[in-house]
Amino acid sequence: MMPKRVENIIQLFIYVFSFFLLTEWMRPVSELTDTGNMKVFILFIILSLAVHFFSLHWFARFVVLIGYIAVIAYMLYDDALFSIRELGVNIAYVWSGDWVLMTNSFRTLLFFALLWLVTYLIHYWIYMKSNLFFFFSMTIILLAVLDTFTIYDASTAIVRVVIAGVMILGVMKLVHLFPALSLRLLGKWSMSLIVMVAFFVSMGLLLPKPGPQWPDPIPFIQSFSEQAKGEDSTASVSKVGYSEDDSKLGGSIEPDSSVVFYHTATPDYYWKVESKNVYTGKGWVSSVGEGTAFPVANGDELTELENYEGPEQVAAKALSASVSIIEDQGHILYPAGSYLKNVKAEGVSFFLYEPNLKKLTPQTADGTLQDISEYIVNYEQSRYDLAQLRKVTEADETMDVLMDLYTQLPDSVPSRVYDLARELTENQLNWYDKAKAVEDYFDRSEFVYSKEDIPYPAKDQDYVDQFLFETRTGYCDNYSTSMVVLLRAAGIPARWAKGYTEGERTVKEGEVIYQVTNNNAHSWVEVYFSGIGWISFEPTKGFSSEPEFINSDRTTHRDMEHATVREDQAETPQQEEKNAISERGTNGKFASIMKPFWISLGIVVIVVLSLFFTRRKWVPRLLITRCKRKSICFSEAYEVLVKQLHRAGLKRLKGQTFREYAAYVDSVYDTNLMTELTRRYELILYRGDEEGEAWRELQESWETLMRKTSS
Amino acid sequence: MMQEQIHLKLEKVLNNIDRVVSGKREVAELSMVALLAGGHVLLEDVPGVGKTVLVKALAKSIGATFKRIQFTPDLLPSDVTGISVFNTKEQEFVFRPGPIMGHIILADEINRTSPKTQSALLEGMEEASVTIDGETRKLEQPFFVMATQNPIEHEGTYPLPEAQLDRFLLKLKMGYPTVEEEMEVLRRAGSYSPLQELQPVLRLEELLQLQAEVKNVVVDDKVKAYIIDLAHRTRNDSRIYLGASPRGSIALMKAAQAYALLRSRDYVLPDDIQYLVPFVFSHRLILQPEAQYSAENAEFILQDILSTTSVPVKRVAT
């Protein structure tokens, strides 16, 4: 045994450095919470470590520490501190969960109790059990978490922690290596330890440090947690479909193949519900800047609905389509990019038109929302002249109000978005080509279409900026919003349109009917061209929809042909997308059936894996009970033990005899039990002895060793 | 005899030797093993490391007669075995026994003499008898030869053929003493020789009894299989030209039995085999030229074989 003095020095050493580790826990407390008078608590820690150090009688410890708390309490709260009544009231608060109501003095008392507990644990684990790992790793995790998520800066604290931790480990190792330790050796050891730690710490400080290898996880986690507590009660994954509230875009969406409506409109049109024009940095809200809502009688000409100006610029064809609503959402759907002439619906007194949203809602005579199941829309198919479009290069004087409304951007949009907009558009001369350039930008391979694992933007992050520069993965809302913002940043008026894609084409009783489901919910971009009107653009990857164009610069005939060809080309990806959507629909059903299966499979896998990885802990116990219950012979038990040692990582080499192996095992566990057992086993194995009473005699040693394998 | 008694007696012998030759415990033990197993030892080392003293001490400790033959190129077989001399007075041939007619014989620098003379000694070692003038004479028991061979000098030597090396149970090396041991050697050299007052601690009859006891040491079939496995591996190893013969396997088993007895056990452990393999097998192997040219030697290859051969640890299913 080592001399008492050396033992005391080592104990003091461990206590001092444990104290340093513990103060690292206290520092953030004083910095991040409103806990004052930290000195009082630090002093308490010193005191309670001291009572352990001097190994006072438990009663003396109690008196010293309670006395200290009483004195402090008297000094801090000077009235009679813990009256029974106050204590009772506070305990009631604790029980009822109203922790904020607890009085300060009671909190102080609890904090003292906590510290007392912690110092005892330090004394027990670090000094008695020589086990620093938990405390040390928890300290590091605490600092890492605090440094990451709070304003607390742990960059120096982590160095202090490592120094203290390595010093304790060094001394523990010394004690382990030399149970009979002399003062001289301790001195030598601690000198070299200090030199080594100093060397490595200074090396570590001097060496260059690479930047973070992973993207900062906080925005993701925060967006997740914001989502979780979400004011708009959307879960982290919402279902695809039409939603009125677009003020907080982002997050993943799940497929939903329920039918919304059927229509007969040809050719393939997107169906629009509304458009929004105020971008907040997180999503879209409608402005109130375009006049108040006004009624339009059922079947009346909707002249006020601007889709294009100057019909003379647009070759139009009158068309009509019937719409049958399955899932009534209280708004009229109409073909986008067309000139809507009128809407006819039975039982509807008038339609309310909201100019800021470009939205129609069916109303009863007394001005409440009218349920609607079927209606007919009359519209004109628009066909735009590319040559005319290309003439638009800047806003004219009549567009002042419109420019204000449709080039709005919040201050939250970072400058790199503007830079990107300039970069994309500076080589194009007119608005149309600029808009096309931005639209084409999203066709690049770094952009991926996905509805899964789409994060919400962080608290102070712009939705568009996140998509353009970080995730580059998303669905229509990401693409369309980004394109609108980029166009606006380039000074081109644009708005965000919402509705559905054309849906799935089926033929029913000789008639072409399109079925539109929630999976078809979509958003796209509308750009204003002076003298022509609003024209749709489709930035979303995998989708394509273009208004019909002619080019008056060439002969009309050829242009028509050209336009048809273009349409045909456009057909293919559209078709594919449709298939993809319907496939996704069936997948959704499948997924909902398989969900419980996957969850239970996941649980089983986790349980199996955790059992597998903790087998060192439970297998020995299982074996001990099993071997005890069964009448097992000694050599069987020995073989079980060898297998268990194998599991515990003590492998017998191929050419190693049991005797050598036993010596190795014993050196690891610091016993002589394995040798004892092996001697007996050798007799049975190599001499042919009978088992006899071997199991009864050696059971205890066997059990001890089995238990050691799990420690 | 009880295990403890045996152990005690052997321990006495070893202590006796230790008093004379310091720090050569292992060589002494292995010599003892060879003696108990009825085998002979080939000591391969440079002169002056205490071979003679060791053998003398061993001989004195068991009260056996000690003979020494210094082999030279002109030594004749009859110088070893003895010769019949005509006694003119009695008018008849009288046999004058040679140095082989003893219990413990040190055959110094055995490779210096002609094969003819060597074979005279080797015949005696193998058959425990010599034939002189057509008459076969039994050698006294115990009969223990410790032959030495200088590994450095090759000039004018007749290296022992492999077949004859096979007849030695063990090949040992003395090695130089450590600084402390050499200090002890110098200290002893200054004063009287402890060899002079060494007393026998084991009677010859007892030794013979022990030799009989060795044969009773249990060698489990698993251990026998292990021996055979090892021998087979030496025969199949690509680095070895000639592996251990069945006589080598027998030698290993016998040596292991003797060693077990020395360790006061009446059964052989794989540990014993592992310990003895280099001493029993190394002089019985002929390496491939490639292995000879590379740094590998027999001991190294044997260690390699040992570490890759699985030790019998499974009970036979009952």
Side-chain angles (χ1 to χ4, degrees):
Chain A
M1 270 328 288
M2 68 179 100
K4 188 74 191 159
R5 221 173 110 208
V6 178
E7 210 178 314
N8 282 339
I9 291 173
I10 283 172
Q11 189 179 5
L12 186 65
F13 193 93
I14 289 174
Y15 274 12
V16 166
F17 281 102
S18 308
F19 168 72
F20 283 141
L21 282 182
L22 195 56
T23 50
E24 295 304 334
W25 290 68
M26 302 296 283
R27 266 176 231 265
V29 169
S30 64
E31 209 165 299
L32 298 175
T33 68
D34 57 352
T35 312
N37 286 315
M38 201 40 83
K39 277 186 199 135
V40 166
F41 297 111
I42 298 278
L43 211 63
F44 179 76
I45 293 174
I46 296 175
L47 201 65
S48 54
L49 283 174
V51 298
H52 282 302
F53 180 71
F54 293 110
S55 43
L56 294 183
H57 187 258
W58 67 267
F59 187 71
R61 289 181 201 188
F62 198 72
V63 168
V64 167
L65 294 176
I66 288 289
Y68 177 79
I69 294 175
V71 168
I72 291 301
Y74 181 74
M75 277 158 58
L76 288 180
Y77 303 102
D78 56 29
D79 55 329
L81 206 249
F82 303 115
S83 63
I84 301 294
R85 221 182 117 259
E86 197 189 334
L87 212 62
V89 168
N90 276 306
I91 287 171
Y93 288 147
V94 171
W95 274 117
S96 62
D98 300 323
W99 294 324
V100 278
L101 297 176
M102 288 188 298
T103 60
N104 276 339
S105 51
F106 187 66
R107 288 179 194 200
T108 308
L109 182 70
L110 286 183
F111 195 51
F112 273 128
L114 179 74
L115 289 178
W116 196 341
L117 212 68
V118 168
T119 50
Y120 175 74
L121 286 178
I122 285 178
H123 163 76
Y124 181 75
W125 280 109
I126 301 184
Y127 182 65
M128 305 293 279
K129 285 272 172 182
S130 298
N131 191 342
L132 180 65
F133 180 76
F134 267 110
F135 186 47
F136 188 55
S137 55
M138 287 314 287
T139 311
I140 286 181
I141 289 170
L142 172 87
L143 289 179
V145 168
L146 287 181
D147 188 68
T148 315
F149 292 101
T150 69
I151 52 161
Y152 184 68
D153 179 17
S155 49
T156 52
I158 197 82
V159 177
R160 291 195 297 265
V161 165
V162 167
I163 293 174
V166 172
M167 291 303 278
I168 297 177
L169 281 178
V171 169
M172 280 180 176
K173 188 73 194 168
L174 175 71
V175 175
H176 187 75
L177 285 177
F178 305 100
L181 189 62
S182 70
L183 197 58
R184 241 185 86 204
L185 186 60
L186 178 66
K188 267 192 200 167
W189 180 277
S190 38
M191 271 320 287
S192 46
L193 194 65
I194 288 166
V195 169
M196 214 165 72
V197 171
F199 175 73
F200 285 117
V201 166
S202 46
M203 280 292 282
L205 289 174
L206 289 175
L207 284 175
K209 290 154 201 71
Q213 303 292 306
W214 287 347
D216 195 351
I218 300 158
F220 178 72
I221 297 170
Q222 280 180 347
S223 72
F224 225 76
S225 60
E226 247 172 50
Q227 240 291 102
K229 68 179 178 233
E231 305 139 27
D232 50 5
S233 80
T234 42
S236 66
V237 176
S238 45
K239 274 198 169 174
V240 65
Y242 194 87
S243 139
E244 305 252 315
D245 183 7
D246 305 301
S247 59
K248 212 167 239 172
L249 294 176
S252 306
I253 46 177
E254 272 195 346
D256 177 6
S257 56
S258 56
V259 177
V260 181
F261 67 98
Y262 293 96
H263 70 84
T264 61
T266 49
D268 299 336
Y269 279 105
Y270 278 4
W271 287 75
K272 185 174 163 181
V273 175
E274 59 186 348
S275 57
K276 292 190 176 177
N277 59 357
V278 177
Y279 177 65
T280 61
K282 298 287 177 207
W284 292 94
V285 292
S286 55
S287 77
V288 286
E290 283 190 283
T292 49
F294 56 86
V296 177
N298 190 1
D300 266 12
E301 191 92 354
L302 292 159
T303 44
E304 298 291 335
L305 230 89
E306 31 87 299
N307 265 320
Y308 52 80
E309 296 165 356
E312 71 280 0
Q313 305 283 6
V314 180
K317 195 164 87 183
L319 288 167
S320 157
S322 61
V323 178
S324 146
I325 302 284
I326 304 297
E327 195 179 292
D328 188 15
Q329 286 164 329
H331 49 231
I332 296 294
L333 296 141
Y334 54 93
S338 69
Y339 175 39
L340 183 63
K341 291 182 83 173
N342 62 11
V343 181
K344 284 179 193 160
E346 259 177 62
V348 174
S349 159
F350 63 92
F351 297 100
L352 196 67
Y353 179 64
E354 293 168 76
N356 56 336
L357 289 171
K358 317 293 171 223
K359 185 178 180 183
L360 282 169
T361 42
Q363 305 281 331
T364 57
D366 53 355
T368 55
L369 202 64
Q370 169 73 48
D371 290 343
I372 192 168
S373 61
E374 279 192 354
Y375 58 87
I376 292 169
V377 284
N378 290 306
Y379 58 98
E380 277 178 1
Q381 187 187 355
S382 317
R383 189 176 292 160
Y384 302 103
D385 185 346
L386 271 181
Q388 288 295 329
L389 282 173
R390 286 211 166 98
K391 281 179 188 157
V392 181
T393 54
E394 56 183 359
D396 57 39
E397 62 277 9
T398 63
M399 289 166 59
D400 287 351
V401 177
L402 191 132
M403 286 300 277
D404 271 357
L405 281 170
Y406 292 107
T407 56
Q408 165 275 344
L409 281 178
D411 295 338
S412 67
V413 176
S415 59
R416 56 179 176 177
V417 174
Y418 288 92
D419 295 341
L420 178 65
R422 199 178 48 243
E423 193 188 307
L424 291 173
T425 57
E426 63 189 351
N427 293 328
Q428 309 296 336
L429 299 172
N430 57 67
W431 281 9
Y432 177 76
D433 288 338
K434 283 180 188 205
K436 270 289 171 204
V438 173
E439 193 188 52
D440 291 346
Y441 175 66
F442 294 101
D443 281 339
R444 295 192 185 177
S445 60
E446 61 255 40
F447 288 98
V448 177
Y449 183 86
S450 171
K451 291 177 182 173
E452 281 158 28
D453 296 332
I454 308 302
Y456 282 83
K459 204 173 176 186
D460 42 5
Q461 193 179 22
D462 186 81
Y463 177 67
V464 166
D465 183 66
Q466 185 201 25
F467 175 68
L468 286 175
F469 298 103
E470 273 177 27
T471 58
R472 293 201 178 96
T473 303
Y475 44 89
C476 52
D477 288 351
N478 296 90
Y479 286 93
S480 53
T481 306
S482 299
M483 181 168 170
V484 174
V485 169
L486 283 173
L487 287 175
R488 287 183 175 188
I492 300 170
R495 68 189 181 194
W496 188 64
K498 290 175 63 191
Y500 295 86
T501 56
E502 66 280 358
E504 198 175 343
R505 184 189 162 112
T506 50
V507 180
K508 231 181 216 172
E509 294 158 14
E511 254 187 292
V512 176
I513 289 182
Y514 290 83
Q515 174 187 292
V516 181
T517 66
N518 273 320
N519 282 331
N520 295 109
H522 194 48
S523 62
W524 60 94
V525 179
E526 289 177 343
V527 183
Y528 184 76
F529 292 89
S530 168
I532 295 162
W534 292 94
I535 293 181
S536 306
F537 285 84
E538 176 53 280
T540 306
K541 205 162 194 164
F543 287 77
S544 90
S545 163
E546 251 185 9
E548 210 170 315
F549 292 114
I550 55 166
N551 197 334
S552 60
D553 283 354
R554 305 185 208 162
T555 66
T556 317
H557 180 70
R558 276 188 58 195
D559 277 330
M560 287 304 287
E561 222 176 346
H562 177 71
T564 336
V565 169
R566 283 193 65 145
E567 240 174 40
D568 286 351
Q569 281 172 337
E571 193 78 340
T572 327
Q574 237 167 338
Q575 207 63 41
E576 272 170 15
E577 178 61 28
K578 265 187 272 173
N579 294 344
I581 283 169
S582 64
E583 229 166 70
R584 244 175 259 141
T586 47
N587 272 346
K589 240 178 243 167
F590 185 65
S592 65
I593 296 167
M594 295 302 279
K595 212 171 178 180
F597 171 75
W598 287 118
I599 290 172
S600 38
L601 187 74
I603 291 170
V604 168
V605 167
I606 289 168
V607 167
V608 167
L609 281 181
S610 51
L611 281 179
F612 180 74
F613 284 116
T614 55
R615 64 194 190 282
R616 263 182 65 191
K617 294 273 172 216
W618 58 266
V619 166
R621 271 172 218 153
L622 192 76
L623 291 173
I624 288 171
T625 33
R626 212 177 64 188
C627 291
K628 268 180 169 172
R629 204 175 319 130
K630 265 198 326 191
S631 58
I632 182 177
C633 70
F634 168 74
S635 28
E636 278 171 55
Y638 184 85
E639 280 153 20
V640 166
L641 175 64
V642 169
K643 265 192 200 154
Q644 174 55 27
L645 286 167
H646 230 258
R647 247 176 252 132
L650 300 174
K651 292 202 164 62
R652 191 176 65 85
L653 303 174
K654 201 173 183 195
Q656 202 171 28
T657 62
F658 269 141
R659 197 164 272 217
E660 291 160 356
Y661 180 59
Y664 165 59
V665 170
D666 280 343
S667 74
V668 171
Y669 290 131
D670 198 18
T671 60
N672 55 7
L673 299 173
M674 189 64 190
T675 306
E676 183 189 345
L677 293 169
T678 304
R679 288 285 152 94
R680 191 58 176 255
Y681 185 65
E682 279 173 351
L683 283 175
I684 297 165
L685 190 66
Y686 299 124
R687 195 185 187 215
D689 277 16
E690 294 295 317
E691 295 266 343
E693 295 291 285
W695 176 230
R696 212 175 44 77
E697 286 161 19
L698 294 167
Q699 191 173 354
E700 214 166 294
S701 310
W702 180 84
E703 219 178 296
T704 318
L705 211 52
M706 278 299 258
R707 282 188 205 288
K708 274 188 187 285
T709 61
S710 68
S711 62
Chain B
M1 256 188 287
M2 293 299 293
Q3 298 292 324
E4 290 77 39
Q5 281 177 299
I6 294 171
H7 186 68
L8 220 61
K9 283 183 193 295
L10 294 175
E11 197 59 32
K12 270 185 187 166
V13 176
L14 291 171
N15 283 340
N16 243 6
I17 298 173
D18 226 25
R19 278 170 57 196
V20 183
V21 201
S22 59
K24 290 282 169 267
R25 175 85 185 190
E26 190 183 30
V27 181
E29 271 186 3
L30 285 165
S31 307
M32 204 63 212
V33 164
L35 181 61
L36 286 173
H40 310 282
V41 169
L42 179 65
L43 258 177
E44 195 179 66
D45 224 321
V46 291
V49 288
K51 291 174 291 207
T52 316
V53 186
L54 179 84
V55 184
K56 275 187 183 164
L58 179 62
K60 269 213 149 174
S61 300
I62 59 174
T65 52
F66 171 75
K67 296 274 173 63
R68 175 188 175 137
I69 312 168
Q70 182 65 49
F71 282 90
T72 52
D74 57 353
L75 202 72
L76 295 172
S78 55
D79 294 333
V80 175
T81 56
I83 193 163
S84 294
V85 181
F86 188 71
N87 189 328
T88 44
K89 203 162 139 198
E90 307 273 331
Q91 289 292 303
E92 60 178 0
F93 283 97
V94 180
F95 181 70
R96 297 194 43 196
I100 201 169
M101 303 289 175
H103 292 131
I104 295 197
I105 290 140
L106 176 65
D108 220 353
E109 306 212 59
I110 189 170
N111 56 342
R112 285 214 171 274
T113 193
S114 63
K116 197 174 165 188
T117 313
Q118 285 172 356
S119 68
L121 175 72
L122 293 165
E123 187 208 345
M125 280 162 56
E126 185 64 20
E127 314 290 337
S129 62
V130 283
T131 310
I132 305 154
D133 301 340
E135 194 184 335
T136 303
R137 292 170 192 269
K138 275 236 155 267
L139 295 175
E140 288 175 74
Q141 285 299 331
F143 176 62
F144 177 64
V145 175
M146 194 174 250
T148 72
Q149 171 166 277
N150 185 335
I152 305 299
E153 288 179 77
H154 294 288
E155 197 76 14
T157 61
Y158 305 88
L160 287 175
E162 311 306 331
Q164 305 204 340
L165 280 175
D166 210 10
R167 298 191 183 167
F168 289 99
L169 184 72
L170 306 173
K171 187 176 94 171
L172 308 177
K173 283 192 173 112
M174 288 286 271
Y176 288 112
T178 62
V179 174
E180 287 82 17
E181 286 163 5
E182 197 157 354
M183 184 64 90
E184 184 63 31
V185 169
L186 293 188
R187 203 172 292 137
R188 283 178 192 173
S191 57
Y192 68 100
S193 166
L195 192 60
Q196 301 305 319
E197 43 186 62
L198 222 50
Q199 293 301 316
V201 286
L202 190 72
R203 282 174 295 123
L204 277 179
E205 304 85 76
E206 283 175 324
L207 182 67
L208 290 173
Q209 215 177 333
L210 283 177
Q211 283 184 337
E213 199 79 32
V214 165
K215 295 193 176 72
N216 293 333
V217 171
V218 177
V219 187
D220 193 274
D221 280 352
K222 290 183 285 293
V223 179
K224 281 180 186 155
Y226 183 50
I227 293 172
I228 294 165
D229 194 11
L230 288 170
H232 269 262
R233 276 169 190 262
T234 65
R235 292 167 206 165
N236 297 329
D237 196 290
S238 62
R239 292 164 291 187
I240 298 171
Y241 175 66
L242 179 73
S245 60
R247 182 166 27 200
S249 306
I250 296 170
L252 184 55
M253 187 178 81
K254 279 188 173 171
Q257 283 174 306
Y259 185 72
L261 196 71
L262 190 72
R263 291 270 168 265
S264 63
R265 254 185 287 114
D266 58 354
Y267 56 98
V268 173
L269 284 179
D271 301 76
D272 305 335
I273 308 289
Q274 288 196 346
Y275 174 69
L276 290 167
V277 156
F279 305 113
V280 179
F281 277 178
S282 65
H283 60 286
R284 294 171 207 260
L285 307 180
I286 303 177
L287 302 188
Q288 292 284 8
E290 299 88 57
Q292 282 176 348
Y293 295 140
S294 64
E296 289 177 325
N297 58 22
E299 280 80 7
F300 176 84
I301 294 171
L302 285 171
Q303 279 308 332
D304 192 39
I305 289 173
L306 279 176
S307 65
T308 52
T309 309
S310 50
V311 180
V313 290
K314 288 263 157 20
R315 287 172 303 146
V316 181
T318 48

